[in-house]
Amino acid sequence: MAAAAGKAASQPAAPSLAGTWTLVAADRRLPDGSVTRDYGAAPQGRLMIDDAGRYAVQIFRAERPNFAAADKAGGTDAEMRAAVMGSSTHFGSLTVDWAAKSLRFTIEDSSFPNWRGQVQRRSFTLREDVLSWEVPPRPDGAVPISVWRRVSSPTP
């Protein structure tokens, strides 16, 4: 995982991000500095990173309502909107710049189609088994913040 999700060539002692992570918080910092929940009171999510730097991330609002029709194609406009706005998923490749404390996501595909093929950077912190990152500000100035706890590391 040399230049990918693990050790940078110039810093062989850098920790690895490879493994499985569970979502602890999905918040947003508003322009006034206050922090609010972005995906409800108890968001659910997984982040998986392999040794080659391939990743998949899923974030879900736990309070998303079930579709009354019990059929994905039969959802109402409100149910469809809640499903889309209550989730964020993407996958691709991840590289880490340990010196700059920056993650570089090369997004292959996403639940938000506009992100397909984008490269996005996020500042991050890693403290023991807790990884957090900030997404660049949204048009309204809010900064999404994701916090993850390591569940497992890859086996050697």
Side-chain angles (χ1 to χ4, degrees), residues 131-150:
L131 170 67
S132 63
W133 67 64
E134 294 186 1
V135 177
R138 293 176 175 159
D140 67 0
V143 175
I145 303 166
S146 296
V147 182
W148 305 88
R149 180 174 298 114
R150 189 187 301 269

Side-chain angles (χ1 to χ4, degrees), residues 20-153:
T20 302
W21 303 76
T22 190
L23 187 67
V24 174
D27 296 334
R28 68 177 176 248
R29 188 175 50 253
L30 302 177
D32 67 6
S34 62
V35 175
T36 63
R37 302 289 180 197
D38 205 16
Y39 283 85
Q44 301 292 310
R46 286 285 182 276
L47 166 65
M48 292 182 245
I49 306 169
D50 71 12
D51 285 325
R54 292 178 297 262
Y55 80 92
V57 63
Q58 304 90 32
I59 299 174
F60 298 98
R61 173 185 292 273
E63 302 88 358
R64 290 173 300 136
N66 289 342
F67 286 21
D71 175 14
K72 187 175 183 179
T76 66
D77 287 349
E79 290 168 335
M80 297 275 193
R81 179 174 173 75
V84 169
M85 295 304 294
S87 63
S88 179
T89 66
H90 52 94
F91 67 90
S93 61
L94 175 67
T95 55
V96 179
D97 182 336
W98 291 99
K101 295 292 186 191
S102 175
L103 301 174
R104 181 177 180 262
F105 290 88
T106 302
I107 301 171
E108 287 182 44
D109 210 343
S110 170
S111 57
F112 182 50
N114 298 35
W115 282 9
R116 276 184 268 190
Q118 283 193 2
V119 173
Q120 297 184 2
R121 288 183 169 69
R122 291 153 174 46
S123 60
F124 78 94
T125 60
L126 177 63
R127 291 188 182 96
E128 297 185 16
D129 282 339
V130 177
L131 170 67
S132 63
W133 67 64
E134 294 186 1
V135 177
R138 293 176 175 159
D140 67 0
V143 175
I145 303 166
S146 296
V147 182
W148 305 88
R149 180 174 298 114
R150 189 187 301 269
V151 175
S152 69
S153 298

